[in-house]
Amino acid sequence: HHHHHHHLTISLFPRLNFCGHVTLVEESSQVQRFFDQLTFNMEGGRKLWVGGNWKMNGTRASITELIGAWKDVAITNDVDVVIGAPAPYLQFLRTEMRDDFQVAAQNAYKAAKGAFTGEISVEMIKDCGATWVILGHSERRHVFGESDELIGEKVKFALENGLSVSACIGETLDEREAGKTMDVVVRQMQAIAANVTDWSRVVLAYEPVWAIGTGKTASPEQAQEVHSQIRKWLADNVSADVATATRIVYGGSVKTGNCQALGGQPDIDGFLVGGASLVPDFTDIINVSLD
């Protein structure tokens, strides 16, 4: 599985005085050992990402309580923490919450401004101090009828205008039972990938719809199988580098009791957490031990 790393841009390793691309000769076992180690480090190099999606929950009082509970908790992992708050509380949350936790909106429209009653714009989100947006969540797709095409347009606009995006994909129970999981995931991925040029600001969230808020969780093996196929799809349809670097997180009834088994899978790079992000011990998920 090391074959696609043969050409390395050595600018990642400033202590080596090479320019451009260097082809490593494989005859030497020492070089091969160095190469294997390098590949391992690069594959293991995806920074943990833990998102909390509050959905349509919270009041100033409950949010103030959570902010207080999380304020002084030591974060032991190297992790991006992103909290998805309802639009009315984005600015309040950004002002009051600890600085190392980032803020996300739960949706955004595909136009800069205008006659779109009830929508919020990317500029408004940034103006409130938030840096992320969750797009394509299954509730947007299934409760509010958002199409793959619309979600793709939203992803494009958000990225072009400076937000990072957590893009959600996943199948319903009917689709899984009909054996269509990967057909659905690929269809959703195609609409997203066609609209991304800078993958460094995209996190993919695989959320099997049947596991969201139902208490049913995909087993670590079920989740890993889909995550690895998403990564393979990225390698085949975008690039090997994007497949290696892009974080694919799992969502669907993640809690303190199952996050370690899920996070231990090689292609699960973190979590998008629903209900379990509305309580003080969400920080236990952030600090999950993945050694």
Side-chain angles (χ1 to χ4, degrees):
H1 65 284
H2 301 310
H3 60 274
H4 56 262
H5 289 295
H6 284 190
H7 291 276
L8 299 171
T9 304
I10 300 295
S11 58
L12 294 171
F13 307 96
R15 65 187 180 280
L16 301 177
N17 300 316
F18 298 130
C19 295
H21 288 80
V22 177
T23 304
L24 296 177
V25 186
E26 292 197 28
E27 279 74 10
S28 154
S29 63
Q30 191 179 0
V31 168
Q32 186 60 50
R33 270 202 307 278
F34 166 73
F35 193 68
D36 288 346
Q37 188 58 40
L38 196 58
T39 303
F40 173 77
N41 287 344
M42 287 169 79
E43 284 177 354
R46 293 187 294 270
K47 185 178 181 181
L48 182 67
W49 191 96
V50 178
N53 178 11
W54 286 354
K55 306 189 181 182
M56 198 175 72
N57 294 291
T59 59
R60 277 177 81 97
S62 69
I63 291 169
T64 301
E65 207 173 308
L66 264 188
I67 288 168
W70 294 346
K71 186 173 182 292
D72 298 316
V73 177
I75 302 303
T76 50
N77 279 328
D78 181 27
V79 54
D80 284 324
V81 179
V82 179
I83 307 299
Y89 299 122
L90 289 172
Q91 188 163 2
F92 174 66
L93 183 64
R94 180 60 293 163
T95 306
E96 301 298 322
M97 186 169 60
R98 55 189 293 167
D99 288 342
D100 57 337
F101 287 14
Q102 300 165 77
V103 177
Q106 297 175 13
N107 197 12
Y109 198 54
K110 64 176 182 178
K113 60 183 177 184
F116 303 106
T117 302
E119 293 293 315
I120 65 168
S121 73
V122 169
E123 185 181 16
M124 292 171 194
I125 292 164
K126 289 167 65 180
D127 208 18
C128 290
T131 50
W132 286 83
V133 61
I134 299 167
L135 293 172
H137 192 277
S138 70
E139 287 143 23
R140 297 307 317 168
R141 294 175 187 271
H142 298 290
V143 181
F144 299 102
E146 293 193 10
S147 65
D148 293 338
E149 183 187 16
L150 176 60
I151 292 159
E153 291 170 333
K154 289 181 173 194
V155 167
K156 182 179 171 70
F157 191 83
L159 290 171
E160 284 176 351
N161 290 279
L163 284 178
S164 296
V165 172
S166 170
C168 305
I169 54 184
E171 82 285 4
T172 62
L173 187 58
D174 286 350
E175 288 163 342
R176 173 162 281 261
E177 288 177 343
K180 292 182 181 162
T181 296
M182 281 317 296
D183 295 345
V184 172
V185 167
V186 165
R187 190 195 79 223
Q188 294 170 341
M189 280 291 307
Q190 281 168 330
I192 292 163
N195 289 289
V196 177
T197 51
D198 179 5
W199 282 90
S200 71
R201 288 188 294 120
V202 176
V203 165
L204 294 172
Y206 169 61
E207 297 201 304
V209 181
W210 49 272
I212 299 175
T214 57
K216 290 180 188 165
T217 312
S219 70
E221 295 71 28
Q222 281 175 318
Q224 165 59 23
E225 183 186 4
V226 178
H227 280 234
S228 70
Q229 292 194 62
I230 293 168
R231 204 174 301 288
K232 184 181 186 311
W233 188 90
L234 287 172
D236 294 343
N237 296 276
V238 183
S239 78
D241 287 348
V242 165
T244 300
T246 301
R247 291 171 293 184
I248 308 171
V249 303
Y250 172 79
S253 299
V254 175
K255 39 195 175 282
T256 53
N258 60 24
C259 62
Q260 189 169 9
L262 286 161
Q265 298 293 323
D267 291 297
I268 299 181
D269 304 313
F271 317 103
L272 185 56
V273 183
S277 69
L278 287 159
V279 291
D281 71 1
F282 175 56
T283 49
D284 293 344
I285 297 177
I286 297 169
N287 280 332
V288 61
S289 171
L290 298 174
D291 298 341

